[in-house]
Each structure stands twice: as structure tokens, then as C-alpha cells.
Amino acid sequence: MGALALAQGSAPATAPATAPANAQAMLQASDAVRNPEKPFGVTVTLIEYRDGKQTDTSTLGSYAKSDARSGQFRTLIRFVAPARDEGKLMLKSGNDFWFYDPASRASVRLSPQQRLMGQASNGDVVTVNLAKDYQAKVGAEEEIADGNRQKRRTTRLDLSASSPDASYNRIELWVDSTNNQPLKGKFYSESERLLKTVYYRRYQNQLGKERPTEMVIIDGLDAKWVTVMRYSDFVFRDVPEVWLQRDYLPNFKPE
């Protein structure tokens, strides 16, 4: 499927940094590539691979809406498959991250760093505007191999967490120098351990803009442990405020 080949690629060539651009504006533009500006729904399929063999899969329904005050997204995640997880919910609203299990009718606070499946954490599957949680600086102009192993001229943005909502302490994000499309990211812990490398690929026209419809997530220690996140069924839709309240989770019914 090509994901493991990404993990084994050679190191990208690096060129000296050019005059600094407005890094925060570039990060905002990159967010706009990934995320529609209006409330939307999307189906997220996660597939886990170990040594090139599929070991697990999960399907989620995501409903996301930007908060007018903070500019950050709030997201409700509905577990669709496998059958053992059907009906479970996860809610991200501000600093709060909740998991609801209809079997116990209890909601439990989560950490965004907790793994959901494979290399995909809770914080990876919710919609996030990175520019709201990170301060960006221009690192360098670099030519790298993208998720399709094509050479791309990029600007590396060095992101440092500036909000308690941030899922990672530090991120290196490579964006296309001509259109700000995110192509690759490296995500680090507070101890500076590389947690994962992510490739953004399979760009398609979705909701009026070319957006990545697949993320390939490679473990920071074991390059043969790969999780693929695929996005489909994009749609602008109303996301009622009540859906984004913890107390409403036991009453949620998908439309």
C-alpha cells in the first residue's frame, strides 16, 4: 500500500533558509487547506498495519464546528465500526476531552495523547486548527519527498505549543511553498522524543478546496508500525450546539 515505503525513504535534501515569511499566516493557510470554514461532517476510516499486514480497522463519523470565541474546532466523534464499538462517542470541546460508552452510560475524561488505534491518538482524529494552539517560526526551505514520493519544494514550519489544548509539545510541519498544502509533519513529546511522522496525501477537491484525504502515520520508533487515516463523505452540515455538550451525550442519536 506504499505506507511502509514512506518510512524507509532517504533523508530530504536541505537548502539554506530564505528570508523569513509570515510563519503564523502560513500555518493558518495550511489549516484552511485541511479544514473547511463551515460546520461539516466526514467519515474517518483508520487502518492499522504491522510489518505490512493489516491488524485492525475502525470507522468513525466526525461532526466538527468552529467555536466563534476561540476559533478552535469542537468535534463530536461517533464510533460506527467494528460492532463492539458502535454507538460510543468522543467529544472535544475547549480543554475538555470526553469518552462516552452507552453500555455504562458514563462519560470519562480523556487525554488527547491517548492512543485510539495504532499510531492515531484521540487528538489526531478530531478537527484542529494548529494556528490556535501553536506559535510558528520559519525553519528552512527544503526539498522533500511527499507522501507519493514526489519531490516538492517546501517551507518547514517549527511549531511550539502555546496553548494548554495542544496535543503535542512541538511539531515540525512541511508545507508546499507555493500553496501552503501540508505535506509532512513530525510530532514530538515534552522530552523531545519523536512520537510519529505523518504524511498528508491523496489531495482531492472536497467542499470547494483541494484537501488531503489520507494521513499516513508512522511510529517514531518502529517504522513498520503504520496507521492510515482516510477521509470520505465530506459534507457541509449543521452541527447543533447541543451535540457539543457533555450532558447531551447519552441522548445523542445520529440523523
Side-chain angles (χ1 to χ4, degrees):
M1 56 108 184
L4 295 184
L6 292 174
Q8 298 163 351
S10 59
T14 302
T18 59
N22 187 331
Q24 204 66 21
M26 293 178 69
L27 182 57
Q28 291 171 351
S30 177
D31 283 338
V33 170
R34 292 185 301 105
N35 302 325
E37 61 183 9
K38 297 188 293 186
F40 71 100
V42 66
T43 298
V44 184
T45 302
L46 296 93
I47 309 168
E48 181 183 7
Y49 295 89
R50 292 270 197 168
D51 295 322
K53 297 180 181 180
Q54 182 176 330
T55 55
D56 202 359
T57 185
S58 181
T59 302
L60 313 171
S62 174
Y63 311 94
K65 181 179 185 178
S66 178
D67 182 81
R69 293 167 297 179
S70 68
Q72 187 56 277
F73 277 89
R74 294 173 293 161
T75 308
L76 177 65
I77 299 290
R78 175 173 62 94
F79 290 71
V80 177
R84 67 177 183 270
D85 294 329
E86 185 178 1
K88 295 176 181 177
L89 300 170
M90 188 164 61
L91 174 67
K92 165 111 177 22
S93 182
N95 292 320
D96 296 325
F97 229 113
W98 299 100
F99 174 78
Y100 174 76
D101 187 343
S104 63
R105 295 186 65 82
S107 54
V108 179
R109 189 181 291 272
L110 296 176
S111 161
Q113 291 84 14
Q114 286 178 260
R115 284 180 174 171
L116 177 64
M117 193 190 81
Q119 296 311 302
S121 69
N122 297 327
D124 293 331
V125 298
V126 298
T127 304
V128 175
N129 276 332
L130 294 175
K132 299 298 179 181
D133 291 345
Y134 296 86
Q135 185 65 41
K137 293 182 180 179
V138 173
E141 299 290 328
E142 299 179 344
E143 184 180 79
I144 69 166
D146 66 10
N148 297 313
R149 302 187 64 79
Q150 300 298 309
K151 293 294 185 181
R152 301 280 289 271
R153 194 69 183 173
T154 70
T155 301
R156 192 190 79 229
L157 299 178
D158 295 335
L159 313 184
S160 55
S162 59
S163 164
D165 294 349
S167 297
Y168 301 96
N169 183 61
R170 182 171 72 87
I171 302 172
E172 294 174 328
L173 182 68
W174 286 261
V175 301
D176 188 292
S177 297
T178 61
N179 57 21
N180 296 308
Q181 288 182 347
L183 301 175
K184 177 183 175 181
K186 287 189 172 183
F187 298 77
Y188 295 86
S189 69
E190 289 187 8
S191 63
E192 285 297 302
R193 180 170 68 90
L194 175 63
L195 297 173
K196 65 190 72 175
T197 299
V198 176
Y199 288 88
Y200 304 84
R201 65 182 194 179
R202 292 195 178 180
Y203 273 80
Q204 298 176 6
N205 193 306
Q206 297 287 349
L207 303 182
K209 184 171 289 191
E210 291 291 315
R211 307 185 192 278
T213 62
E214 184 174 275
M215 290 169 55
V216 179
I217 308 174
I218 303 167
D219 183 70
L221 294 176
D222 182 0
K224 294 183 179 181
W225 189 9
V226 177
T227 303
V228 176
M229 290 175 54
R230 292 180 179 148
Y231 299 85
S232 60
D233 306 321
F234 285 82
V235 61
F236 284 126
R237 60 154 302 139
D238 178 47
V239 179
E241 280 294 316
V242 69
W243 286 12
L244 304 171
Q245 307 299 321
R246 175 197 175 194
D247 292 344
Y248 187 76
L249 295 178
N251 303 312
F252 175 80
K253 292 182 175 55
E255 296 176 351

